[in-house]
Amino acid sequence: MKSNCIFIESTFIYISGCVYGSVTYLKFSLVDFIKEKLSELMNSDTDEENPNSPIISIKKFEDIHIDPNLLKAVYAAGFNRPSKIQANALPLLLADPPLNLVAQSQSGTGKTAAFVLAMLTRVDTDLDYPQVICMCPTYELAIQTGEICAKFSQYMNKINMIFAVRGEFVPRSTQLNQQIVIGTPGKVMDWGTKYKCFDLKKIRVFILDEADTMVSTQGHRGHCLRVHRELDRSCQMIFFSATYDEKVLDFVSRMVSNPKIIRLTRDEECLDNIKQYYVMCRGEESKYTAIQNIYGGITIGQAIIFCNTRLSASWLAKKLTTDGHSVAVLSGEFDVGQRLSILDRFRAGLEKVLVATNVLSRGIDVAQVTIVVNFHMPTVAGTENPDYDTYLHRIGRTGRFGKHGIAINLINSDNDMHLSRSFETHFKKPILLLNTNDSDEVQNLEN
Ligand code: ADP
Ligand code: MG
């Protein structure tokens, strides 16, 4: 058979499809596939042309009646129009008397600005004690959220914020004079209940970002509930996430009185602007070859590669570095100062590939991430069952605010295959068959 395939690298992709009962194979090297796909995606329109897109709404920020100083900051941030979740949530969040809200919206659709605008609107700048608590599951996310809060409050007077995160300390008897506390659950709990650095009864707004994981993950759950228990009944409760399973939704809805609920259907959860693929590998070495090829193909943007353990993340990063590739690695094994500087370097584009564990699967917003790779498929801790939510959050590190992105699953076993199929069925979005094989197998197929 005469081949019209491109043979450049040792890893190849087969796009198979049945034509009148016979199987046809188009082959590309993985490196070329990535290059071509990236340039195709980046040259196509962003989701702004699609009226059903979650980043489109018919409203303007003026229609939502936010404070002129906030409006100025919103425009200064380059936000021209609210996204769907912002347009739907903000009128509820700013209503008088305040309403409680449990809201779901896809990754990268601007949930942060929705709750940050609400908390800045609610703060009484004449009072110098904590009135708003915003809790996030990780250190990095708390810092990112605080930076957005600082950006949006730049034209407001007398707004002060403090981070309650690992590495920050306040002496026991200190009374905080900042109006906004942004942090991770353990530290907020310590400062609020143990050290009594502020009065939880005076908190007017309580926000859980990534709310589902906050109330269901061991560790976070106890801390969040402990803080929540101390709050005044009139405190406004605001819960946001891209994912809620039924049990969690039921639980969070019962944590607050008469919540307004904004929900997505299953079909809406997974974004169309993130194209998903899987690549067949045989063994860790073959996965590694695939990663090298993907690395070679990243001509546009950056990539995050997810591993399931700290050990495998550091193994992969070391191996890539030894082979002359410039990569960063971020996992819970580093202290928070190191973690922040690794992420800052990645944001600045100093490394084009970041190998990470699930610590980075949620919330982190790096606009230029064009590719997410699952080196390991996400499974529920201690099982081989699919972790749907983590999958969605991981792939949501690309395709931010309507941009295009690529997600690639590396498949190494029957169970990986089963997991990939489960994600496809669950979210009702295709994960395209892109089998990679070594050259021998390519030759066999050709013959
Ligand atoms: P989510 O929390 O829903 O995953 P983020 O709040 O992190 O999403 O926002 C994703 C990206 O979209 C950020 O880079 C943010 O600056 C941008 N963004 C949010 N709202 C708007 C808007 N109305 N107009 C333009 N960009 C926006
Ligand atoms: Mg978010």
Side-chain angles (χ1 to χ4, degrees):
M1 182 175 95
K2 189 171 178 308
S3 167
N4 59 354
C5 311
I6 316 158
F7 287 82
I8 296 178
E9 300 286 332
S10 60
T11 309
F12 296 88
I13 297 166
Y14 300 78
I15 305 175
S16 66
C18 280
V19 182
Y20 300 116
S22 70
V23 177
T24 57
Y25 292 95
L26 284 175
K27 294 177 221 145
F28 301 93
S29 72
L30 186 49
V31 73
D32 281 351
F33 170 78
I34 299 290
K35 277 184 191 165
E36 196 177 298
K37 211 67 208 166
L38 279 176
S39 98
E40 202 180 290
L41 291 183
M42 298 315 134
N43 288 328
S44 56
D45 290 332
T46 61
D47 221 17
E48 278 167 43
E49 307 303 314
N50 168 9
N52 297 322
S53 157
I55 61 158
I56 301 295
S57 78
I58 49 165
K59 287 195 183 159
K60 300 193 285 292
F61 279 108
E62 284 82 352
D63 301 337
I64 299 167
H65 306 297
I66 52 172
D67 179 290
N69 286 328
L70 277 177
L71 193 61
K72 193 170 157 190
V74 162
Y75 285 128
F79 292 15
N80 298 323
R81 278 201 309 186
S83 63
K84 205 165 269 173
I85 185 64
Q86 290 162 358
N88 293 337
L90 276 163
L92 301 173
L93 293 174
L94 306 184
D96 235 347
L99 296 167
N100 295 328
L101 178 68
V102 176
Q104 183 184 22
S105 175
Q106 300 91 337
S107 52
T109 55
K111 295 185 284 297
T112 321
F115 63 74
V116 166
L117 291 177
M119 68 198 212
L120 289 172
T121 303
R122 295 272 177 214
V123 158
D124 183 342
T125 50
D126 290 332
L127 304 176
D128 60 353
Y129 55 78
Q131 303 153 42
V132 174
I133 291 177
C134 173
M135 297 207 285
C136 309
T138 63
Y139 174 85
E140 288 81 357
L141 193 49
I143 302 294
Q144 180 181 285
T145 305
E147 283 169 356
I148 291 161
C149 183
K151 193 155 84 181
F152 282 150
S153 60
Q154 64 179 306
Y155 303 114
M156 298 173 78
N157 288 326
K158 300 191 291 183
I159 289 263
N160 287 306
M161 175 189 79
I162 186 163
F163 286 114
V165 291
R166 218 192 304 168
E168 297 291 324
F169 298 96
V170 288
R172 255 178 194 266
S173 54
T174 309
Q175 286 302 298
L176 299 183
N177 57 16
Q178 294 85 352
Q179 299 104 345
I180 298 173
V181 179
I182 299 182
T184 44
K187 201 64 145 186
V188 174
M189 184 191 78
D190 280 353
W191 287 7
T193 67
K194 216 156 107 199
Y195 302 151
K196 305 218 182 295
C197 304
F198 59 95
D199 185 354
L200 280 159
K201 288 277 179 281
K202 290 187 177 159
I203 297 297
R204 310 308 315 141
V205 182
F206 176 74
I207 298 165
L208 289 186
D209 191 16
E210 310 291 345
D212 58 330
T213 197
M214 299 292 266
V215 301
S216 62
T217 310
Q218 250 194 337
H220 291 336
R221 181 187 167 93
H223 299 150
C224 287
L225 296 184
R226 179 82 179 82
V227 173
H228 177 261
R229 207 168 64 205
E230 303 280 325
L231 300 171
D232 191 81
R233 280 183 65 81
S234 64
C235 173
Q236 183 179 24
M237 309 281 174
I238 303 175
F239 297 171
F240 271 91
S241 185
T243 50
Y244 291 99
D245 70 27
E246 292 306 324
K247 231 170 87 194
V248 169
L249 185 71
D250 185 52
F251 184 80
V252 293
S253 305
R254 282 188 287 114
M255 278 172 76
V256 299
S257 64
N258 299 322
K260 296 284 173 197
I261 296 182
I262 298 177
R263 268 214 94 174
L264 297 172
T265 62
R266 182 54 48 72
D267 299 21
E268 291 170 325
E269 283 184 346
C270 190
L271 293 163
D272 288 320
N273 52 307
I274 304 169
K275 301 287 178 232
Q276 301 171 63
Y277 300 94
Y278 69 90
V279 169
M280 293 302 292
C281 304
R282 284 185 285 112
E284 295 286 296
E285 270 307 313
S286 156
K287 271 193 186 180
Y288 181 71
T289 308
I291 292 287
Q292 281 188 303
N293 289 337
I294 291 168
Y295 188 100
I298 307 168
T299 44
I300 301 165
Q302 290 173 286
I304 300 182
I305 302 173
F306 284 104
C307 295
N308 283 357
T309 63
R310 295 172 182 189
L311 212 64
S312 51
S314 101
W315 168 83
L316 180 61
K318 266 196 199 112
K319 199 161 161 67
L320 283 163
T321 307
T322 309
D323 288 338
H325 305 299
S326 151
V327 300
V329 57
L330 200 158
S331 71
E333 103 178 81
F334 300 101
D335 68 44
V336 285
Q338 289 170 312
R339 277 162 59 167
L340 207 56
S341 80
I342 292 164
L343 193 56
D344 282 346
R345 283 180 60 86
F346 184 64
R347 280 191 207 279
L350 295 175
E351 278 93 17
K352 67 176 177 176
V353 170
L354 177 61
V355 181
T357 55
N358 280 341
V359 74
L360 228 65
S361 63
R362 282 179 178 252
I364 293 305
D365 180 56
V366 182
Q368 61 275 21
V369 170
T370 44
I371 301 181
V372 167
V373 181
N374 284 311
F375 190 79
H376 297 127
M377 302 296 276
T379 49
V380 176
T383 76
E384 297 214 316
N385 301 329
D387 184 342
Y388 296 109
D389 294 345
T390 300
Y391 182 79
L392 202 60
H393 286 280
R394 280 185 182 184
I395 69 170
R397 291 321 96 217
T398 182
R400 307 296 292 163
F401 210 74
K403 291 195 173 66
H404 294 284
I406 299 173
I408 301 174
N409 300 331
L410 301 188
I411 304 295
N412 190 23
S413 66
D414 289 347
N415 195 52
D416 282 349
M417 194 63 252
H418 162 73
L419 291 168
S420 189
R421 293 234 164 88
S422 304
F423 296 130
E424 184 173 40
T425 314
H426 183 86
F427 295 114
K428 302 183 183 141
K429 288 280 146 61
I431 304 182
L432 294 183
L433 173 64
L434 301 170
N435 267 330
T436 61
N437 290 282
D438 61 27
S439 355
D440 290 350
E441 210 163 318
V442 172
Q443 293 300 334
N444 289 342
L445 277 167
E446 275 213 300
N447 300 332

